[in-house]
């Protein structure tokens, strides 16, 4: 009966209780609280080692040692990892574990009595308190380090205005010894012109229980007075009055001098702006004009109040105001620069063309706009006159091109008729002249020369119309091989060798028709003016100049030519170095025109009887 009552008491204890029997440590009695800790594996008769549940290996070893030694053991706040379930993750719990050997009648140890008391809440609270203590010490150390390392002077005053604490920086700044009486010496270091004001303001703030923010001059260790900013806030303990004021002194001497310099500089800039004979203005971040220079009033005949915050827009020609205003609103919203050409009314009512520009500047004061209205009426009207003249010249040039092109085509038919009549005359008539054959040869040559000239004139006009062909990325080898395919008959007839090397600069952004025309003229000329004494060799090489610009060299071993003192004369139309070879002398003129029109230049080097080298600098650096 007594055992049953004891068992009931142990069963309902909040602490876990279990008996471990024999040297094998088998589970005996286990109450519900212990099963909640160990788990359902704690069934009577099972070996603890085979069904430990959450009991870790080190605790099993201690159980064996307690059984063997017979000495009880207590473990405070022992950590156990509670088993996870499908609904709950594993968690840490802390228990006070007690192992008590069991002896029957004073004999040897027959088992162990295991107690487990849940102290998780207490341990977590202890750990949290420990962490808070560590954090408090760390913050206190950090606060002291920060206080003593920041460039400001920090201080604490009590309700009577006496200094309770001042950081070491005060001694460095003033040069006073640490033994100095702060309350007596501090007021004496304030500039005489500031001392009374500062003492009154600090007393007033303490009496009202508020903080303060003021500037004054304090004498430095070298005897110079430097401007300092003093800020302090009260330490409130409601509902009582403040008992401490904590503050800092920040040196602002350089900033005050800079502000003064900026004020002087701003006055000088305004004087400069007023001296410029141009409409100068500034605007706020919202786009409202807040300053006009003096010339603006003189030019418009209006005062600053009459001009208002949108003055320059109201001065524009009425039909242009809406567009100008929309663009100005867009610039304000995006921060993009503003620029436009508009007609603006002068004081005499005359509208004159102006370029209006504005840029946004952002500094510590925030974004602001700076603008100018520049009178360009004379330049604009001159540009219109020049544009009209340019358009007239361009039209005249087009008409001349059309005339030359048409004339060259219209002359082809009479040329064909002359050739037909001459062929018929040669077939049917006999002149009995010993120079008949030479005359016929001369007439044939003249007709052929006339035909070639007409064809090249037409090609020249056609190619000049393509000088403005759009540029595209071109493969030099591909274009060169395309040109050589068209010259295949001439290459085979002359037995020429053409070497292409485009490895250093394989591509070029250029007009396709222009590049084909340049290569065709240079390669066909190299074949046409070949030396009959040796097989023609033409070398085409692309490379980069010293400035990184693409360059093309075409070199041959032909007849060569004698260069005049002025190299440009080589490229004049109808200029021919070898009259005995057919041609109109316009090919190289066209090449030079194409190259210079696209920003490059052509160089030539030649030796009579050895050959000629043409170097094309596609783009001048």
């Amino acid at each position: 009966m007594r055992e049953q009552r004891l068992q009931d008491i142990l069963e309902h204890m909040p602490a876990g209780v279990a008996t471990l029997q024999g040297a094998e440590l088998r589970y005996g009695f286990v109450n519900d609280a212990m099963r909640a800790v160990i788990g359902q594996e704690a069934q009577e008769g099972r070996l603890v080692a085979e069904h430990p549940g959450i009991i870790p290996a080190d605790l099993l070893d201690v159980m064996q040692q307690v059984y063997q030694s017979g000495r009880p053991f207590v473990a405070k706040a022992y950590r156990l990892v509670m088993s996870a379930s499908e609904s709950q993750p594993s968690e840490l719990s802390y228990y006070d574990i007690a192992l008590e050997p069991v002896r029957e009648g004073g004999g040897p140890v027959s088992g162990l009595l295991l107690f487990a008391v849940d102290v998780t809440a207490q341990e977590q609270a202890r750990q949290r308190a420990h962490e808070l203590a560590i954090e408090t010490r760390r913050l206190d150390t950090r606060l002291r380090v920060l206080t003593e390392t920041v460039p400001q002077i920090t201080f604490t005053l009590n309700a009577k205005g006496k200094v309770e604490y001042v950081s070491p920086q005060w001694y460095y700044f003033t040069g006073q010894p640490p033994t100095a009486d702060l309350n007596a010496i501090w007021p004496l270091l304030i500039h005489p012109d500031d001392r009374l004001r500062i003492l009154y303001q600090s007393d007033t703030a303490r009496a009202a229980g508020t903080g303060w923010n003021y500037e004054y001059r304090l004498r430095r260790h070298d005897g110079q007075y430097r401007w300092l900013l003093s800020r302090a806030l009260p330490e409130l303990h409601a509902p009582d009055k403040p008992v401490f004021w904590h503050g800092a002194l920040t040196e602002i001497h350089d900033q005050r001098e800079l502000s003064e310099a900026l004020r002087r500089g701003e006055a000088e800039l305004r004087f400069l702006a007023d001296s410029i004979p141009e409409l100068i203005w500034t605007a706020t971040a919202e786009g409202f004009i807040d300053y006009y220079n003096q010339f603006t009033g003189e030019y418009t005949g209006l005062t600053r109040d009459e001009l208002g915050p949108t003055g320059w827009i109201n001065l524009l020609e009425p039909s242009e105001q809406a567009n100008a205003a929309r663009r100005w609103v867009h610039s304000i919203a995006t921060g993009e620069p503003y620029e436009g050409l508009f007609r603006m009314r002068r004081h005499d009512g005359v509208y004159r063309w102006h370029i209006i520009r504005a840029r946004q500047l952002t500094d510590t004061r925030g974004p602001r706009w700076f603008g100018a209205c520049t009178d360009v009426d004379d330049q604009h009207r001159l540009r219109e006159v020049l544009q009209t003249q340019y358009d007239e010249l361009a039209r005249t040039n087009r008409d001349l091109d059309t005339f030359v092109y048409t004339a060259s085509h219209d002359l082809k038919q009479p040329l064909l008729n002359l050739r037909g009549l001459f062929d018929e005359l040669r077939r049917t008539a006999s002149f009995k002249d010993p120079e008949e054959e030479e005359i016929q040869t001369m007439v044939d040559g003249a007709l052929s020369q006339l035909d070639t000239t007409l064809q090249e004139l037409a090609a020249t006009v056609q190619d000049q119309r393509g000088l403005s062909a759009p540029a595209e990325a071109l493969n030099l080898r591909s274009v060169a091989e395309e040109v050589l395919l068209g010259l295949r008959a001439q290459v085979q007839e002359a037995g020429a060798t053409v070497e292409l090397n485009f490895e250093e600069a394989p591509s070029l952004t250029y007009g396709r028709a222009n590049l084909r025309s340049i290569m065709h003229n240079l390669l066909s000329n190299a074949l046409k003016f070949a030396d009959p004494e040796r097989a023609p060799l033409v070398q085409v090489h692309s490379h980069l100049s010293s400035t990184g610009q693409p360059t093309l060299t075409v070199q041959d071993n032909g007849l060569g030519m004698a260069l005049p003192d002025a190299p440009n004369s080589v490229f004049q139309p109808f200029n021919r170095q070898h009259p005995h070879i057919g041609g109109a002398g316009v090919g190289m003129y066209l090449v030079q025109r194409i190259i210079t029109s696209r920003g490059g230049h052509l160089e030539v080097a030649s030796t009579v009887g050895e050959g000629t080298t043409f170097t094309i600098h596609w783009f001048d650096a």
Side-chain angles (χ1 to χ4, degrees):
M1 183 69 179
R2 185 179 298 172
E3 286 187 18
Q4 182 63 41
R5 187 175 180 182
L6 178 60
Q7 187 170 347
D8 289 342
I9 293 173
L10 295 175
E11 186 70 43
H12 294 90
M13 283 184 66
V17 181
T19 59
L20 307 177
Q21 301 172 348
E24 315 78 40
L25 298 180
R26 295 179 181 274
Y27 287 113
F29 170 77
V30 181
N31 70 351
D32 291 340
M34 183 61 79
R35 284 194 180 91
V37 177
I38 300 176
Q40 296 304 317
E41 293 86 352
Q43 299 296 328
E44 185 176 355
R46 288 185 175 182
L47 291 174
V48 177
E50 294 180 356
H51 304 282
I54 66 169
I55 300 176
D58 63 340
L59 184 54
L60 291 175
D61 292 341
V62 171
M63 289 178 179
Q64 290 291 341
Q65 294 176 23
V66 171
Y67 182 86
Q68 294 171 7
S69 65
R71 293 197 312 271
F73 175 76
V74 176
K76 292 292 186 180
Y78 185 76
R79 188 179 69 171
L80 290 176
V81 181
M82 307 304 292
S83 301
S85 62
E86 294 183 358
S87 61
Q88 294 182 349
S90 60
E91 59 181 14
L92 290 177
S93 296
Y94 296 88
Y95 290 86
D96 285 347
I97 304 295
L99 292 171
E100 187 71 31
V102 177
R103 291 181 173 86
E104 296 181 0
V109 177
S110 61
L112 296 177
L113 187 59
L114 173 64
F115 292 94
V117 180
D118 189 350
V119 294
T120 301
Q122 297 91 317
E123 178 62 19
Q124 289 178 343
R126 187 192 66 79
Q127 292 181 6
R128 181 59 180 162
H130 178 66
E131 292 173 356
L132 289 176
I134 294 175
E135 181 68 12
T136 300
R137 287 195 297 271
R138 186 180 67 82
L139 291 176
D140 183 67
T141 302
R142 176 185 291 181
L143 180 59
R144 182 164 294 276
V145 171
L146 289 175
T147 300
E148 296 183 358
T149 56
V150 294
Q152 290 129 323
I153 300 170
T154 56
F155 60 88
T156 299
L157 303 180
N158 60 23
K160 295 181 179 180
K162 302 299 182 182
V163 179
E164 293 281 340
Y165 166 80
V166 67
S167 63
Q169 288 84 344
W170 189 86
Y171 298 100
Y172 303 151
F173 183 87
T174 62
Q176 298 298 317
T179 57
D181 185 352
L182 296 177
N183 295 298
I185 198 67
W186 197 321
L188 299 178
L189 298 178
I190 299 175
H191 194 283
D193 295 342
D194 302 331
R195 187 178 303 151
L196 186 61
R197 171 177 59 86
I198 296 305
L199 293 176
Y200 174 78
Q201 289 180 346
S202 61
D203 287 343
T204 303
R206 286 197 309 276
T210 61
W212 63 75
N213 186 334
Y214 48 68
E215 300 174 4
Y216 68 91
R217 286 163 289 181
L218 188 68
R219 192 174 70 203
R220 199 168 59 180
H221 57 83
D222 57 1
Q224 292 187 11
Y225 284 95
R226 306 285 291 181
W227 282 99
L228 299 177
L229 171 64
S230 178
R231 288 175 176 168
L233 290 174
E235 180 182 328
L236 299 175
H237 297 279
D240 299 331
K241 292 183 178 181
V243 292
F244 294 106
W245 275 259
H246 305 286
L249 291 174
T250 306
E251 185 174 356
I252 58 170
H253 193 85
D254 294 337
Q255 291 91 319
R256 282 184 65 102
E257 289 190 343
L258 179 60
S259 297
E260 184 62 28
L262 287 175
R263 283 192 291 271
R264 292 195 302 269
E266 184 174 355
E268 293 173 356
L269 287 175
R270 286 184 179 270
F271 177 79
L272 178 62
D274 287 337
S275 304
I276 296 176
E278 190 167 337
L279 284 71
I280 306 295
W281 48 271
T282 64
T284 63
E286 294 77 18
F288 298 113
I289 302 175
D290 56 3
Y291 167 76
Y292 298 95
N293 70 337
Q294 183 176 344
F295 182 78
T296 302
E298 297 173 357
Y299 187 89
T300 61
L302 301 175
T303 65
R304 295 182 180 180
D305 293 336
E306 290 173 335
L307 287 168
T310 57
W312 63 268
I313 294 180
N314 296 330
L315 295 173
L316 301 182
E317 203 277 331
S319 63
E320 298 175 353
Q321 290 182 8
N323 178 43
R326 281 194 300 269
R327 292 171 60 181
W328 178 235
V329 170
H330 175 76
S331 293
I332 295 300
T334 61
E336 297 177 1
Y338 183 91
E339 183 168 341
L341 180 64
F342 303 100
R343 285 170 290 178
M344 180 176 288
R345 187 178 68 249
R346 199 168 55 183
H347 60 84
D348 57 1
V350 176
Y351 284 95
R352 294 178 62 83
W353 287 100
H354 284 73
I355 292 180
I356 302 178
R357 296 187 180 94
R359 299 291 185 272
Q360 187 185 69
L361 173 66
T362 302
D363 56 17
T364 55
R365 296 178 295 177
R368 289 177 56 79
W369 289 86
F370 293 81
C373 305
T374 306
D375 190 330
V376 294
D377 192 79
D378 295 336
Q379 297 92 315
H380 184 77
R381 298 186 187 282
L382 177 60
R383 188 183 302 111
E384 288 181 339
V385 172
L386 293 176
Q387 184 65 41
T388 301
Q389 294 177 349
Y390 173 80
D391 293 341
E392 182 65 27
L393 289 173
R395 183 169 58 253
T396 302
N397 188 52
R398 288 194 300 271
D399 292 342
L400 287 174
D401 285 348
T402 302
F403 170 76
V404 173
Y405 189 73
T406 303
S408 63
H409 279 74
D410 291 346
L411 288 174
K412 284 184 179 180
Q413 188 59 45
L415 176 63
L416 293 175
N417 293 338
L418 284 174
R419 184 175 290 281
L421 290 173
F422 179 71
D423 289 342
E424 181 64 23
L425 181 64
R426 181 169 49 189
R427 184 178 63 81
T428 59
S430 176
F431 300 99
K432 305 298 183 181
D433 191 326
E435 297 180 354
E436 175 184 355
E437 184 176 352
E438 182 179 354
I439 294 174
Q440 290 179 355
T441 301
M442 292 174 62
V443 173
D444 279 335
L447 291 174
S448 297
Q449 182 66 33
L450 180 59
D451 185 35
T452 300
T453 300
L454 291 176
Q455 291 181 6
E456 292 194 358
L457 281 174
T460 299
V461 174
Q462 187 67 27
D463 285 341
Q464 284 197 183
R465 290 176 176 175
L467 287 178
S468 59
E472 57 182 300
L474 301 172
N475 183 280
L476 290 173
R477 179 174 291 276
S478 175
V479 175
E481 290 176 349
E482 181 182 347
V483 171
L484 287 173
L485 184 62
L487 297 173
R488 183 174 55 183
Q490 292 92 315
V491 173
Q492 292 177 349
E493 180 180 353
T497 300
V498 181
E499 298 178 354
L500 304 178
N501 181 3
F502 302 111
E503 293 182 0
E504 293 186 29
S507 61
L508 178 68
T509 301
Y510 218 69
R512 177 179 291 275
N514 297 158
L515 183 58
R516 289 185 70 258
S517 178
I518 292 170
M519 284 196 173
H520 181 274
N521 277 284
L522 292 176
L523 293 175
S524 62
N525 277 359
L527 297 173
K528 182 189 299 184
F529 298 106
D531 193 319
E533 302 297 329
R534 53 180 176 267
L537 172 62
V538 183
Q539 296 173 307
V540 183
H541 173 220
S542 67
H543 56 92
L544 297 177
S545 67
S546 59
T547 59
Q549 295 292 342
T551 304
L552 182 71
T553 300
V554 179
Q555 183 177 3
D556 63 59
N557 63 343
L559 295 173
M561 55 183 171
L563 297 178
D565 294 336
N568 287 336
S569 62
V570 178
F571 309 121
Q572 295 302 313
F574 310 111
N575 182 23
R576 301 176 62 197
Q577 287 277 337
H578 303 284
H580 66 281
I581 298 177
V586 296
M588 291 310 301
Y589 166 73
L590 177 61
V591 168
Q592 193 259 357
R593 280 288 309 278
I594 294 175
I595 294 172
T596 55
S597 70
R598 288 188 173 269
H601 70 278
L602 178 63
E603 295 179 355
V604 59
S606 183
T607 302
V608 176
E610 295 183 8
T612 303
T613 300
F614 289 97
T615 302
I616 303 173
H617 299 271
W618 298 110
F619 311 106
D620 290 335

